[in-house]
Amino acid sequence: MGHFEQFVESPEVQDVASNRHQGRQVQSGIREAQQKADDEIAELKRRAVAQRDDLKGILDQITILTSRIDSLQSLTPLPSAAPATALSAARAVQAAPGNPSAGPNEKGLFLSEAHQ
């Protein structure tokens, strides 16, 4: 056997070759783990963008609803004491003795209320 063959078959060279093979396996494992982490980060970013878009849509809906509520409130007059006083006076006239429509009907409504 020549010196080269003895050198190649020596335990030191075999250890180097084995370490080199293990190093390639480790590098391959690291690359796979890194790719998996990259994919997971991309998915998290996609979900974050989707959630942000959903929240923006909800905020837009809240803004529209708030605007509609404000608009409706500006159109609705505040209740005053005059209509309540007029209704009380009308009921008092209806309840006057001798008035045939003084009492409530079978539904519990006064005659004037039943026709509304």
Side-chain angles (χ1 to χ4, degrees):
M1 219 191 294
H3 292 292
F4 180 73
E5 292 166 349
Q6 287 177 342
F7 174 76
V8 170
E9 293 178 8
S10 70
E12 295 84 15
V13 172
Q14 294 298 322
D15 286 345
V16 169
S18 175
N19 287 341
R20 191 177 211 185
H21 178 69
Q22 287 175 351
R24 286 186 193 136
Q25 288 178 331
V26 169
Q27 284 179 337
S28 176
I30 289 171
R31 270 184 258 139
E32 288 175 18
Q34 189 174 23
Q35 182 62 48
K36 184 178 178 183
D38 289 345
D39 293 346
E40 289 174 358
I41 289 170
E43 177 64 16
L44 290 171
K45 285 181 180 180
R46 186 194 64 74
R47 288 182 184 180
V49 168
Q51 286 180 349
R52 186 187 66 215
D53 291 345
D54 288 347
L55 288 174
K56 184 182 180 311
I58 291 169
L59 179 61
D60 290 345
Q61 290 175 355
I62 289 172
T63 302
I64 290 168
L65 290 173
T66 301
S67 174
R68 287 181 183 171
I69 289 170
D70 290 345
S71 175
L72 289 172
Q73 286 177 340
S74 68
L75 295 177
T76 305
L78 294 176
S80 65
T85 305
L87 182 59
S88 297
R91 285 191 177 161
V93 169
Q94 287 178 344
N99 187 348
S101 62
N105 64 12
E106 65 278 355
K107 294 182 182 176
L109 297 173
F110 288 95
L111 186 59
S112 63
E113 293 174 324
H115 293 294
Q116 290 179 354

